[in-house]
Amino acid sequence: MCGIFAYINHLVPRKRREVLEFIINGLKRMEYRGYDSAGLAVDSGVNQITIVKLPGKVKVLESAVMANEKLYDDFVYDVHVGIGHTRWATHGAPSAVNSHPHRSDVGNEFVVVHNGIITNYKYLKQYLTEHGFQFESETDTETIPKLIKHVYDRHPELSFRELVEQAIPQIEGAFALAIKSSHFPGECVATRRGSPLLVGIKSATHLTTDYIPVIYSADIKQSPPAQKKRNGLVNNSGTSLVNGDGDGRDSLTEFKPLNDRAEVEYFFASDASAIIEHTNRVLYLEDDDVAYVTCEGGLSIHRMKRTLDKNEELSREITTLRLELEQIMKGNFEYFMQKEIFEQPESVFNTMRGRVLFDEQKVVLGGVKDYVSEIKRCRRMLMIACGTSYHSAVATRQLLEELTEIPVIIELASDFLDRATPIFRDDVCFFISQSGETADTLNALRYCKKRGALILGITNTVGSSISRESICGVHINAGPEIGVASTKAYTSQFISLVMFGLVMSEDRTSLRERRLEIIEGLRRLPEQIQEVLNQDSRVLELAQEMYQQKSLLVMGRGYNFSTCLEGALKIKELTYMHSEGILAGELKHGPLALVDKGLPIVMVVTRDKVFTKCMNAVHEVKAREVPDKSFVVLVVCLCLWSVCAATGRLRGEGRGDRLKIFLYPVDY
């Protein structure tokens, strides 16, 4: 997943080395997103831009920048725009030429960093090639700066923002963009569609407003010709309504600090973790927003036209992040993922804090309480998600059906959209995502919302697209998750859905004993998780028997089937070992053919109503003459993550954050 970071300082003097360090550190904060190359672009003279980009880690880019004495110097800029990027290869192999930023021409007139995929890039590339542009890379991104340059060559009178607004409608797909230009020094334009992007604002003085009104370009263009002039719009008395660019900005629609010098710094980033060390004041961009930072230090938000949605927000709020720098640091742990695994006793407690009232044996979810009666009347509940979030839905489906007696349908978001699944007005659709920005899940949300279904979001990120666009929902309060493979968010999603089931069954006398049993289980959960974490050394011993294997099967049934799916996913994701989660009841229908003396098998077995059936599956496996050491029977509290994590540690292959997860082995 690519990461964008841009830094703009206006009347805040910064040495060029400081600007470079800001960009590089911002990229380091987003390394967890996964990438294979990195690059940046900064000013290097009057109307000149220098690009440095290389395959490999951000550390490689940092070394190259620091070795460039002409670039890494003490030259001071009062106003400057710098952009950086970490790339995950989609079009073209990891290489210097395919890395971002991409440029419009050899003169670096327009420079772009991009997160997402341009689906119609082949047609754009063909069009631009026919108009004389030569492409250097294999990427889809390179079409964007060249398209903007193409517009500029034909309409040099347009402002930077207007150039971008002319180009963006021609682009199909998902994107977040940050753009700088040698023709517009001190200015930056950023926009998004389907990929996250936020703006951090830092000023020594108070802000003029906490809300920035949205300016609609179509409204400006439709103003009567008699009221237009090159300097902007005027009213009947001749008084100017907007600034000299004629783009609708004035003191009421543009952000500026409360002083004449307008000392301000802006940070554009794909993730809040990249800017929290600088500021906690942020603004989240919506799809098709165009954020424009002018050479005067002002920030305005533009959109091409109004939508038909009567609930469309007419302004963007500047919010305060409830995130501390310490939360995104590794502390005494070797890896972010290790830290997050050991945070789970605390994270699950935070998920339940103020919601599960143990003394009163009651559950309160403020985000859904006004909609409970409507949900109880629904035709069905659809739980739509991807990856680990999908597994949390699988894990809770059986319990939700038991507590609500409403049909629960589990859907992978990508397949849900491919099938154009029928949705009805009396459906309740759950959208589960740690980040709240998962593209397929977000698109599925919008699909269901158009069809009148009640939208309920389960996310970990306040201000994310899913949390903003949901009608109601639950914030899981797991804290920031930096590790690529989800751990504590999974357990918190599970608990959030369990709490929802308890709320739905509150008035059912027949389920009282079952509800009390579940609530008591939630009370004990943090301590039980800690017991699991104390088994770290035993996990390592278990992994020593498995780490050289090429494949691993994980089997279970009932509530444990989701554990098998999640465990197999983590094994693949962290160790690059083939692994498959299998429903033990399906063992005879194909998977048993894979079992031989060389295949390790993990059976997930708990003392529940399918215990006997699971033990039958164990005996079926042993009947295939599989040695005792070839499979392990486990009683697990949560997930199988330790096997894959410890395996990565044993291999010593430097998997970064892809290590060390927990498991609770019990002798059989």
Side-chain angles (χ1 to χ4, degrees):
M1 190 189 305
C2 304
I4 289 174
F5 185 85
Y7 171 66
I8 303 99
N9 59 300
H10 184 267
L11 299 183
V12 180
R14 293 289 185 191
K15 297 176 182 178
R16 186 154 48 201
R17 71 168 66 234
E18 289 183 287
V19 173
L20 290 165
E21 288 169 358
F22 280 180
I23 296 172
I24 289 170
N25 288 335
L27 297 181
K28 285 182 177 180
R29 296 288 186 211
M30 294 185 289
E31 284 187 298
Y32 73 92
R33 296 168 68 89
Y35 69 103
D36 48 53
S37 55
L40 55 81
V42 294
D43 293 341
S44 57
V46 179
N47 296 336
Q48 292 182 348
I49 298 174
T50 294
I51 299 174
V52 182
K53 52 183 183 175
L54 293 166
K57 299 295 183 182
V58 174
K59 193 71 177 177
V60 176
L61 175 67
E62 182 180 24
S63 298
V65 168
M66 294 179 69
N68 188 336
E69 296 180 357
K70 293 183 179 179
L71 193 65
Y72 194 70
D73 60 16
D74 292 328
F75 187 85
V76 177
Y77 287 95
D78 285 339
V79 179
H80 183 274
V81 177
I83 59 177
H85 187 268
T86 54
R87 174 182 185 250
W88 184 278
T90 56
H91 296 77
S95 66
V97 70
N98 286 333
S99 303
H100 297 217
H102 283 286
R103 60 185 184 175
S104 59
D105 59 338
V106 294
N108 300 342
E109 293 182 36
F110 294 91
V111 180
V112 172
V113 290
H114 166 224
N115 177 11
I117 295 177
I118 306 303
T119 56
N120 67 331
Y121 82 99
K122 289 185 178 179
Y123 303 105
L124 293 174
K125 189 172 184 178
Q126 179 181 352
Y127 173 82
L128 292 167
T129 301
E130 292 172 354
H131 284 77
F133 287 90
Q134 295 182 346
F135 285 78
E136 304 170 307
S137 72
E138 305 170 71
T139 67
D140 54 338
T141 302
E142 194 179 355
T143 59
I144 300 172
K146 286 177 166 52
L147 181 60
I148 297 173
K149 174 70 162 59
H150 177 66
V151 177
Y152 176 79
D153 289 342
R154 282 153 179 74
H155 302 282
E157 75 281 358
L158 295 180
S159 69
F160 194 7
R161 173 193 60 80
E162 290 171 326
L163 291 173
V164 174
E165 286 187 342
Q166 290 292 318
I168 291 306
Q170 316 307 320
I171 299 172
E172 298 176 3
F175 55 79
L177 305 172
I179 312 163
K180 68 171 293 176
S181 171
S182 59
H183 295 293
F184 303 94
E187 297 188 10
C188 183
V189 178
T191 184
R192 61 155 285 186
R193 182 192 300 158
S195 292
L197 194 64
L198 56 88
V199 187
I201 303 171
K202 182 179 181 181
S203 175
T205 60
H206 292 292
L207 310 183
T208 55
T209 179
D210 283 338
Y211 293 87
I212 301 181
V214 175
I215 304 171
Y216 292 89
S217 300
D219 293 350
I220 300 172
K221 294 176 182 178
Q222 292 171 3
S223 298
Q227 291 186 336
K228 285 189 177 181
K229 65 177 183 178
R230 183 70 185 95
N231 291 342
L233 301 178
V234 294
N235 60 19
N236 293 331
S237 63
T239 305
S240 177
L241 296 178
V242 298
N243 73 340
D245 292 332
D247 58 7
R249 293 181 294 111
D250 62 15
S251 61
L252 298 179
T253 60
E254 180 180 42
F255 163 82
K256 278 187 178 180
L258 282 173
N259 68 34
D260 295 335
R261 281 184 50 80
E263 298 174 357
V264 65
E265 297 168 278
Y266 296 106
F267 304 84
F268 290 93
S270 300
D271 195 293
S273 62
I275 65 174
I276 190 60
E277 62 185 292
H278 303 290
T279 180
N280 63 354
R281 300 287 282 160
V282 301
L283 178 152
Y284 292 93
L285 297 181
E286 303 279 1
D287 276 359
D288 297 316
D289 280 355
V290 177
Y292 180 32
V293 177
T294 69
C295 56
E296 295 92 7
L299 169 67
S300 55
I301 306 297
H302 300 256
R303 293 179 70 86
M304 290 294 292
K305 58 184 178 181
R306 298 180 186 272
T307 67
L308 298 178
D309 186 357
K310 62 181 180 181
N311 296 320
E312 181 180 7
E313 295 288 341
L314 300 179
S315 63
R316 301 291 177 262
E317 182 183 5
I318 301 173
T319 61
T320 301
L321 285 175
R322 295 182 179 179
L323 179 66
E324 300 296 334
L325 184 59
E326 292 77 10
Q327 292 180 283
I328 60 171
M329 303 295 287
K330 284 183 278 194
N332 297 325
F333 294 94
E334 190 174 0
Y335 304 105
F336 281 115
M337 193 171 201
Q338 181 186 15
K339 171 177 177 280
E340 289 157 10
I341 290 160
F342 281 85
E343 285 178 342
Q344 286 180 106
E346 179 183 357
S347 65
V348 299
F349 180 78
N350 288 337
T351 301
M352 296 184 287
R353 187 198 301 270
R355 294 167 169 173
V356 183
L357 309 178
F358 294 107
D359 294 338
E360 301 177 28
Q361 298 177 333
K362 184 179 179 181
V363 178
V364 178
L365 293 178
V368 300
K369 66 179 182 180
D370 293 336
Y371 297 88
V372 170
S373 59
E374 182 177 350
I375 297 172
K376 287 180 179 180
R377 297 193 301 269
C378 73
R379 173 194 301 229
R380 56 182 180 168
M381 296 189 293
L382 291 88
M383 305 178 75
I384 303 166
C386 301
T388 291
S389 297
Y390 172 80
H391 295 157
S392 72
V394 175
T396 52
R397 170 175 53 185
Q398 183 176 340
L399 184 64
L400 287 176
E401 288 179 332
E402 176 188 350
L403 295 177
T404 66
E405 295 187 350
I406 296 173
V408 177
I409 299 172
I410 309 296
E411 296 278 3
L412 284 166
S414 55
D415 181 59
F416 176 84
L417 290 168
D418 291 343
R419 301 193 332 263
T421 308
I423 293 295
F424 306 99
R425 293 179 63 85
D426 54 354
D427 286 337
V428 174
C429 298
F430 293 69
F431 295 91
I432 311 169
S433 169
Q434 189 280 136
S435 66
E437 299 289 350
T438 308
D440 285 334
T441 307
L442 184 57
N443 289 335
L445 182 153
R446 291 166 180 164
Y447 174 89
C448 295
K449 196 171 185 178
K450 287 181 180 178
R451 285 154 179 78
L454 178 63
I455 306 301
L456 194 151
I458 308 287
T459 75
N460 190 38
T461 309
V462 176
S464 63
S465 295
I466 289 179
S467 65
R468 293 196 306 271
E469 297 188 28
S470 296
I471 297 172
C472 58
V474 180
H475 183 251
I476 67 175
N477 290 333
E481 191 170 64
I482 305 300
V484 175
S486 181
T487 52
K488 64 178 183 178
Y490 174 80
T491 53
S492 290
Q493 287 170 347
F494 181 98
I495 292 168
S496 296
L497 291 167
V498 170
M499 291 191 299
F500 171 80
L502 292 172
V503 168
M504 289 286 290
S505 61
E506 186 175 22
D507 58 353
R508 298 193 58 190
T509 306
S510 61
L511 291 173
R512 176 173 172 76
E513 290 186 9
R514 178 63 168 147
R515 292 183 73 259
L516 295 180
E517 179 185 10
I518 295 171
I519 291 173
E520 181 58 28
L522 292 175
R523 183 201 296 271
R524 298 195 306 265
L525 191 56
E527 295 178 2
Q528 292 176 331
I529 292 176
Q530 189 59 55
E531 291 180 25
V532 173
L533 299 177
N534 293 339
Q535 304 297 317
D536 191 43
S537 60
R538 297 186 66 186
V539 170
L540 183 57
E541 295 174 8
L542 183 63
Q544 287 173 341
E545 300 180 12
M546 295 187 176
Y547 79 98
Q548 291 180 330
Q549 301 294 331
K550 293 183 179 180
S551 185
L552 177 68
L553 297 184
V554 189
M555 298 186 189
R557 65 188 298 166
Y559 286 108
N560 297 322
F561 177 52
S562 60
T563 300
C564 299
L565 294 175
E566 180 64 8
L569 175 63
K570 289 297 179 284
I571 292 168
K572 287 181 281 193
E573 198 172 9
L574 308 178
T575 70
Y576 308 144
M577 177 195 298
H578 169 261
S579 182
E580 190 172 347
I582 295 174
L583 186 66
E586 291 294 300
L587 190 59
K588 292 180 178 179
H589 304 290
L592 194 60
L594 297 174
V595 177
D596 58 29
K597 294 182 179 180
L599 180 68
I601 298 173
V602 175
M603 300 290 297
V604 186
V605 183
T606 58
R607 291 279 183 180
D608 56 15
K609 64 182 182 181
V610 295
F611 176 77
T612 302
K613 294 179 180 179
C614 287
M615 293 309 299
N616 289 339
V618 170
H619 293 301
E620 284 186 74
V621 172
K622 294 193 70 174
R624 306 284 289 194
E625 298 182 356
V626 177
D628 288 343
K629 289 187 178 181
S630 293
F631 76 95
V632 183
V633 179
L634 303 167
V635 177
V636 296
C637 285
L638 298 171
C639 257
L640 293 174
W641 297 329
S642 303
V643 175
C644 37
T647 301
R649 180 171 48 178
L650 284 167
R651 288 178 175 174
E653 296 178 5
R655 307 282 174 144
D657 289 332
R658 304 185 166 200
L659 296 178
K660 207 172 181 186
I661 318 163
F662 72 83
L663 158 74
Y664 190 10
V666 173
D667 295 333
Y668 166 64

